[in-house]
Structure formats: structure tokens, C-alpha cells
Amino acid sequence: MTKHLSENFAWPKEFLWGSATAAAQIEGASHSYGKEDSVWDAFARKEGVIAGGDNLKVAVDHYHRYQEDVGLMRELGLDSYRFSTSWARIVPGGRSVNSEGLDFYSRLVDELLENGILPWLTLYHWDMPQALEEQGGWTNRDTAYKFAEYAEAVYAKLGDRVNHWTTFNEPLCSSLIGYAAGEHAPGRQEPAAALAAVHHQHLGHGLATQRLRELGAQELGITLNLTNAVPNDPTDPVDLEAARRIDALWNRMFLDPLLRGSYPEDLLQDVAGLGLAEVIQPGDLEIIHQPIDFLGVNHYHDDNVSGHPLIGDAPEAVVPTDAPKSSPFVGSEYVTFPSRDLPRTAMGWEVNPQGLRVLLNRLNADYADLPALYITENGASYTDELSSDGIVADTERCDYIFDHLDAVAGAIEDGVNVRGYFVWSLLDNFEWAWGYQKRFGIIYVDYETQERIIKDSGRAYAGLIAANRTMA
């Protein structure tokens, strides 16, 4: 691994070093201890929608192996662990609270605290009870109120020990990709439903944030996956317009209601007649625009955008299955993403680390009173090989992580208030529509035996954490 700025950078004394996971991707025990179907359990049973026909039944068995996994976190020297609670485990079938489900997270939190690791809790990482989806899911306004009730139940059990509360992780994915593209659960391809889902998730965030604040929660925020929409030809008005549209849909449709209390006017024009205006009720934006203490930024790549069709020799997109899909970009389905001459991960995502510095500076410049920023997900999938002597020499992932940390360090030097970094992911896991075909972990998991092996990237990350602690 080459030398990086981040290795000798004077990181802020209180900078948090962590890693992250999601309940559905790691827990397993998918129909045990009171848990019932989530939308992902149900989606995975559909023919041909998950690579390899994989499912979430066992995942990486974190439900039974959480103590071992926390031990690995301690070995890596993590300051914090970002995890999600499963709505389908805590309120199975969307009915009443399952105390056995809450007890699991209580044991996990205790284990983290006993090992000196800060719990960072996410309430929604896409595993809605399937029974609620059958009542309309996020297209149903009532789901936002049910989400706030679920948040209150989790706080009642864990609020005495958990200080950091994230309402939603990447609502773009569970709205646009789940309800318009059909690639994620619940697998619908309905543009109006996707926009309703966006607004109702925003409303759920506002209602839950209000309630948790009333109950005494100390640190409240949300995590968004954000991009730089880069015009393929910055002199071409067609490409500039396409980039504006993607920025509106991907970034500002989420940032502006949360941080400014309004939807962008250009976004409303782009999606006029597709149902968004019809679901916004008086007072909604005031509820959505709650003060938050932090904004989580998930970033893996930025996007080269064009308003022209792709040329004939453009490389084919890397997709998990042949299942029919639609564009997630409601009202701007014509937009294309031409390839640039950049390295790519196993997901087919371009690698452009400095894009993260650009993004963080843009947030800092565009939003007054921006809350503290945390990089809540950043990482990469590569083809990992376990050697005969039990080593995973994932050099590309090491460079990816440290190159992006260089970008974070640069943004801090630029004056951006970035207070932490959570590498995605702690463990190889169920990668949504990709099943177990793609590995993001800094810890290798043998899916047959459930053996865990820290990869070279994990060792390098642990070394940086240790060195930073020594300097501090």
C-alpha cells in the first residue's frame, strides 16, 4: 500500500473511527425469536431477483455471534460501531412490540459498552415489516406514524445507554430504487409510489426526531447517500441539464426538506404531475425540518452524467440479475451515465476519491448552519481471495479506504466539520440484490463455516486508528 496523507494527518482529537453494518445483511435468524418477514425476506423469495437465489435466513449469523464480532471490533480498536435495529424483529408483522427482539439489541449494546465501543444506532436500514408493505408500505402516509411509534419503542429499551440515533439510512435506496427501479425491496416499478415513499420517509424522520427529542435523545441525525453529478461535457447544455436533474433527485430532494424545510423548485417542476405535490400536506415540511445534531454522509462514487444516449461501444452496466428493472430517476429517466477512464470496483463503480472532498466542501458551502458531518459509509467491493495461510491481501481495498481518508483529511483542512469515519463494512455480508456475490468487509467471512478473518485492509485501518490514538 502506498503512503497516504491520512497516515500522518493530525486528525482532530475527538475524531471517531468506526465501522458499520445493517441488521438485514448480517443477523440471520430471519424467522426466529419472534421475528417475521421484512420486505427483504419476502423480496428474496421472488424468482430471479437476488443473485444466486440467495436469502437472508442465516446471513453471517451475527444474531448468535455478536459477542465474537464485538471482540473483533475491539481487536481493530474501533471507537464506534454503527448498526441498525430491525423493525421486522422489534415489531413483527407491524403489530405489537416483540420484547425478545429488543432484548437482543440490549445485549449487543451492553457488549459494546463493556468493550469501550460507542453504539451508533440506525432505526431504518430498509427492513420494514412485510405486513406494512402489504398495507401500502411507504406509499401509505400512516407508515410514517408507525415508524415514529417503532422509534419510541426502541428508545424506551435502549435510550438509557444509546446516545446517537440515526432515523434513516439512505432513503434514496428504499424509495427510488425500491419503488421506481424495482431492484430493491419491495421491487415495485411505480414512479408515483417512489415519490410518495420519499415524502413519507421524510415525514417519518421528522415525526421520530420530534418524539425522540421529547424523550431526551442527545444526538439525532440522518444518513444520506450523496453524489457529485458531473456533466459529461461541461460545455454541453444537454449534459448540464442532465446533471442538474440528477443533483435535484439524488441530493437536493433529500437535503433541502431536511435542512431548509422545502423541496427545490426545479425538482418540483421536474416531477410535476407524478404525484409528489399531492402527498405533501400542510404542516409536513415544518415537521420534516427538525433540528438535527449530525448528518451522516454515505459516499462510494460520484456520477458522470449525460443527457445523450450512450454510444454503442459503452461498457455494459454491472447488474446483479437479469430481472426487469426501471430507472430510479423519476421524471428524468432519459439520463445516462457514460463511463470515464477511471478504475472501477467489483460493483462497477468508478473510483474517484477526490470526489468526496468536493462533496463535503459543497455541503459546507451550500447549507447554512450545517450540522456536524460524519462519513457513515465508505468502502469498496473487490474480488477477495483467502490464501492457504489464511490471509486476505486486499490491496485495492486498502488503497480505496486510505485514498478516501486522504480526501476527508483534505476537507477538514478546507474547514469542513467532519467528525468521524465509518468504513463499510465490518463484515462481508448479504449485499442486497447481489446476495453473497460481492464482498465489502474489512473482515472476511467464510459463508459455509462462518469463520471470520481480518483482512489486510482491516489490519491497516486498525493501524491507523492506533497511530492516531498514540498521537492524540
Side-chain angles (χ1 to χ4, degrees), residues 25 30 32 38 129-130 142-143 218 229 259 271 304 380 412 428 467:
Q25 294 180 273
S30 65
S32 302
S38 75
Q130 172 63 14
D142 191 49
T143 301
Q218 296 180 25
L259 299 180
V271 301
N304 192 52
I412 292 172
D428 291 335

Side-chain angles (χ1 to χ4, degrees), residues 297-319:
V297 176
N298 290 0
H299 185 76
Y300 294 90
H301 59 89
D302 48 19
D303 290 272
N304 192 52
V305 181
S306 176
H308 300 286
L310 294 175
I311 58 174
D313 59 352
E316 289 189 17
V318 179
V319 295

Side-chain angles (χ1 to χ4, degrees), residues 46 133 136-137 139 177-190 193:
K46 294 182 179 180
E133 171 57 29
T139 71
I177 299 179
Y179 285 83
E183 184 172 322
H184 281 189
R188 294 164 66 172
Q189 297 177 58
E190 306 165 34

